[in-house]
Amino acid sequence: MPRPVRPRTLQLEASSFCQLRCPSCPTTQGTIHPAVGSGFLNPEDFARLLDQNPDLRAVELSNNGEIFLNPKLLAILQLARARGVTITAGNGANLNSVREEVLEGLVKYRLRTITCSIDGASQETYQRYRVRGNFARVIGNIRRINHWKQHYQSEFPRLCWQFVVFGHNEHELETARRMAAELNMGFVAKLSWDEELSPPRNPDAVRAATGGYASRSEFRARTGVDYMRMICNQLWDSPQINWDGKVLGCCHNTWGEFGGNAFRDGLLPSVNGERIRHARQMLLGRAEPRPDVPCSTCDIYQSMCATGRFMQRDDAAMGQQFTLDEAVELGAEWEAAGRRTDAGAVYRRVLGVDPDHAEAARRLAALGGSHDAAAGVAPPAAGDG
């Protein structure tokens, strides 16, 4: 039997509310309600989770909703800072509604990374998908973060501009890239998850911007794997916990839970329950799907079943029993074995915990990855925010 998972990194939804109405988003469509529901992470639950799990080193707070709508976000950041836990918002934030004291607090309490979801370089283009969004306000909030970074002489939070490419915004890709550089931000062009909504008009330009692919279906056809396949590693490395403690397993899952509650039952028992252990075996191709396991109806898992290309996990990586340096060594072994994508994912996870890890940054750069993107969420990003 595989060793129990003992995560040192965690994904924990800070807010499942969002003020925007992006057309393809499950939050807008209300499909998140069966499992995710609507609510905010409570600082008292967060404090208890950290106290009971001193091995936790990093927590990602963004996913289905907008992290900055949580009215107690500052208290959460302060708790993490006091306990030496790294906080990120790498899955994505829209930055439309942020109080000035929170903008300062992001720097003061050293939130490490923010992926800013900005799909355009003008109000006209941006609001086509980010419905209700205000482009000027978002850019203004980024400038205020940079102001506070200069005030506190801090490099954190590192900012990354995530640009989901559509047919209606592809003409602004290079303008957005230049603006990101002027704002001292990394830049990631990401393929849309909804290929029927505003498909690319210039596929070659999109391929040039996104690493050689014009759509996720093209990526799957040419590589034989799903564009978001790496998400499945979260069940081992960084399980997704809902704002109310439910175990969701990964950031893609909005339709079912694995049983157990990290706040009520404890983190380790919850992420090692029978259903999630069975799910891990399914993802490795060692167990049959079951109707009580959310992965059974997941498009990513179903793609694995169709191709027979399941996850590959070394036993050494199963139990989170290694240091960051050991993780980099494991990545180097995978790199030498030709598993460059898996190695790059390891280096990105290391940099998510320690953005200053020189060896991980060097190896990722040698693979053609971006250190700035890695510090946030490099493509394909963890979630679809």
Side-chain angles (χ1 to χ4, degrees), residues 25-26 91 141 177 183 190 228 240 256 371 381:
C25 178
N91 279 358
N141 284 334
R177 193 185 300 272
L183 291 166
K190 182 179 177 181
M228 302 302 289
Q240 178 74 49
H371 183 262

Side-chain angles (χ1 to χ4, degrees), residues 219-234:
F219 180 93
R220 184 167 52 251
R222 290 174 55 187
T223 65
V225 298
D226 194 279
Y227 184 70
M228 302 302 289
R229 173 186 175 93
M230 295 307 292
I231 279 179
C232 299
N233 284 299
Q234 292 172 7

Side-chain angles (χ1 to χ4, degrees), residues 131-148:
V131 177
R132 296 186 181 178
N134 186 310
F135 180 78
R137 187 183 303 140
V138 173
I139 299 302
N141 284 334
I142 291 169
R143 294 189 188 282
R144 292 305 296 167
I145 292 172
N146 284 336
H147 160 78
W148 288 113

